[in-house]
Every structure is written in C-alpha cells, then in structure tokens.
Amino acid sequence: MATSKFYALTHSKCPRCHVGKMFEGPVYGLKKQKMNETCPHCGFKFEIEPGYFYAAMYVSYVFSVAQIVTLGLATAYFTQSESPFLYLGVLFFTILVFAPFNYRFGRLILLHYLSPKVKYSPKYEEQIKESEDQPTS
Ligand SMILES: [Zn+2]
C-alpha cells in the first residue's frame, strides 16, 4: 500500500517518493534542524528553484497568525487581563516556541500541497518492495 500524503507530510518525508527524509531528526531538539538538500532515497532536489522556500514563509505566516490569535484569545479568556505586557509576552513566547514547527511544516506543506510541479510517484516506493522481495542467498 502506498504511503498517504498526510503520513508523508507529518513524518517529514520527501514529496516525490514518500520514503526519503526531508528533515533529519525531530522538530524539537538540542541540535539545529537539518534539511537535506536532495532526497536520500530518490534524489529529488527539494529547493526546486533558487529561492523557492521564500514561498514557505507565507505558509508559516498563516501558522503564526493562527497560533498567536488562538493563544491571545486563550490568555484573555483565562486571565481576563488588560495588561499589554502580558499579551506582548504571550506573543513573543508563541512565536519562539512555534518557530521550529512553522519552519519545518511551512516547507513541507509548500512542497506536498502547494507545488503543482511536484508529483508523487509510487515507483520509488515499489523499488524498495522489489528489492525486499529478492531472495537472499
Ligand atoms: Zn524522495
């Protein structure tokens, strides 16, 4: 069975083969996130054009706005505070905490859902299955 687009996206997989990893390691960790330049499985070049990932900023911008509005409203609801400093604090905290998440999923969503040129081709997944089926001597 072919890997679904949603699974591939949430597991940081390549948009073309759904097998190779686009990002190494977890979203949150002590090490800086590392994005592979090309897919380790099918060789797909993730930055399909120079500066392609500028468009990912729009996706992460939408994420940021949604997160800030949600947490801002939650703060207002739970604290009933009118202090602007509390809201500024919440705003900076939200931006910092979600930055790695927005960075990674901005790029993943751009490639998986918003790039008509990038097509999933199941043949790369079939290649592994064929090599697994080969009898070992
Ligand atoms: Zn790939």
Side-chain angles (χ1 to χ4, degrees):
M1 208 184 75
T3 317
S4 77
K5 195 176 241 201
F6 184 74
Y7 178 92
L9 186 130
T10 50
H11 290 80
S12 315
K13 303 284 191 194
C14 163
R16 189 166 74 173
C17 65
H18 291 183
V19 177
K21 274 193 170 304
M22 183 164 158
F23 287 90
E24 297 292 342
V27 183
Y28 289 97
L30 293 175
K31 274 197 289 178
K32 196 174 167 283
Q33 294 199 64
K34 185 182 167 290
M35 193 191 87
N36 292 320
E37 271 183 36
T38 55
C39 173
H41 181 69
C42 71
F44 176 71
K45 191 168 178 283
F46 293 124
E47 193 173 17
I48 44 185
E49 288 162 11
Y52 191 70
F53 287 122
Y54 278 113
M57 286 197 306
Y58 297 106
V59 183
S60 63
Y61 173 71
V62 171
F63 275 145
S64 293
V65 170
Q67 290 149 1
I68 289 164
V69 168
T70 307
L71 279 156
L73 288 175
T75 308
Y77 180 80
F78 288 112
T79 65
Q80 317 261 307
S81 167
E82 285 179 15
S83 159
F85 298 106
L86 175 68
Y87 291 98
L88 274 176
V90 168
L91 192 135
F92 281 116
F93 174 79
T94 311
I95 290 172
L96 281 177
V97 164
F98 285 102
F101 176 90
N102 294 345
Y103 166 79
R104 176 177 295 207
F105 288 99
R107 289 180 171 205
L108 280 160
I109 286 176
L110 176 73
L111 282 180
H112 278 268
Y113 287 103
L114 304 170
S115 304
K117 276 196 248 172
V118 182
K119 290 267 189 304
Y120 166 61
S121 40
K123 66 173 181 186
Y124 296 104
E125 259 182 300
E126 283 154 16
Q127 279 173 356
I128 357 173
K129 278 170 201 142
E130 278 161 23
S131 60
E132 278 167 2
D133 289 343
Q134 241 122 70
T136 44
S137 51

